[in-house]
Amino acid sequence: MSIRHGAMTRRAVTAVLAAAALSLSTACGGGDSGSDDKKSSSSASTESGKPEESGDGSGNTVPDKSKTLATINGSNGFEFTIHSAVRDGGGFLTISGAVKNTTGKRQIPPIQWNGEETLVKRTGRSFAGVTLVDKVGKKRYYVLRDTDGFPLTTTGLTAFEGGQSVDFFAQFPAPPNETTTLDLQIPLMPTATIEIS
């Protein structure tokens, strides 16, 4: 009798704890798309290599490719096409575009694109080494990091097959509103001046 009574008591306690945990999780974050949800979607877009800009009708997000701000051709066989440089309401500037292997052979992204920091090396190949320069304000802007030290840019790059193109994004602190142009510096690539929209 005491064994049966003990099992029933344990089940009742487990049910009460489960109900309390469920109500707590609902009260603390259920359905409200606050900053934590935005951070999750930002890191999800980081891993997928696609910034959240617009939908394609199937639930996937795709970068806006309606205009080209700059095309950067490197001697290393890679070409960057910058499609947008957009200020966010939260004080961020997001650069998006595509990088293409213009050769007919398989190429590995240069390690210099990752940046020099120890923390970003654990993300694998990325664009964490990209910087923006405000020549008028005499400031350099680096790719933002999240609270765990991961860069807010496309990560997990793998080898590019010949002719392959990959969408990318990188998020920076926004320069002052009066700044309308910036120099985009990608390691091993020529500098390009882009206009902020």
Side-chain angles (χ1 to χ4, degrees), residues 99 109 113-114 123-127 154-160 166-167:
V99 58
W113 292 354
N114 299 354
T123 64
R125 306 279 175 154
S126 72
F127 295 108
T154 303
T155 61
L157 299 175
T158 58
F160 286 64
V166 173
D167 294 330

Side-chain angles (χ1 to χ4, degrees), residues 6-157:
M8 289 175 61
T9 302
R10 280 192 297 277
R11 277 190 226 133
V13 169
T14 303
V16 169
L17 288 174
L22 181 60
S23 66
L24 182 62
S25 68
T26 302
C28 291
D32 183 14
S33 59
S35 61
D36 288 342
D37 290 341
K38 289 178 184 172
K39 186 186 289 184
S40 297
S41 67
S42 175
S43 60
S45 64
T46 298
E47 292 169 7
S48 70
K50 296 180 181 178
E52 292 187 315
E53 293 188 2
S54 61
D56 64 0
S58 64
N60 296 323
T61 55
V62 293
D64 179 10
K65 296 183 180 180
S66 61
K67 61 182 177 178
T68 298
L69 301 180
T71 301
I72 309 167
N73 289 298
S75 59
N76 56 5
F78 286 101
E79 176 186 84
F80 282 80
T81 304
I82 311 304
H83 294 296
S84 67
V86 180
R87 292 180 192 272
D88 298 345
F92 306 114
L93 177 72
T94 303
I95 307 291
S96 65
V99 58
K100 181 178 182 179
N101 174 4
T102 58
T103 72
K105 60 183 181 181
R106 190 172 191 258
Q107 288 205 106
I108 295 178
I111 197 163
Q112 290 87 345
W113 292 354
N114 299 354
E116 303 270 331
E117 295 176 47
T118 305
L119 278 176
V120 300
K121 289 181 180 177
R122 64 184 173 168
T123 64
R125 306 279 175 154
S126 72
F127 295 108
V130 174
T131 58
L132 294 174
V133 175
D134 177 1
K135 286 192 279 192
V136 175
K138 298 183 179 177
K139 288 188 178 178
R140 180 182 301 271
Y141 297 94
Y142 295 89
V143 172
L144 290 168
R145 306 320 192 227
D146 67 14
T147 54
D148 294 322
F150 291 99
L152 298 180
T153 184
T154 303
T155 61
L157 299 175

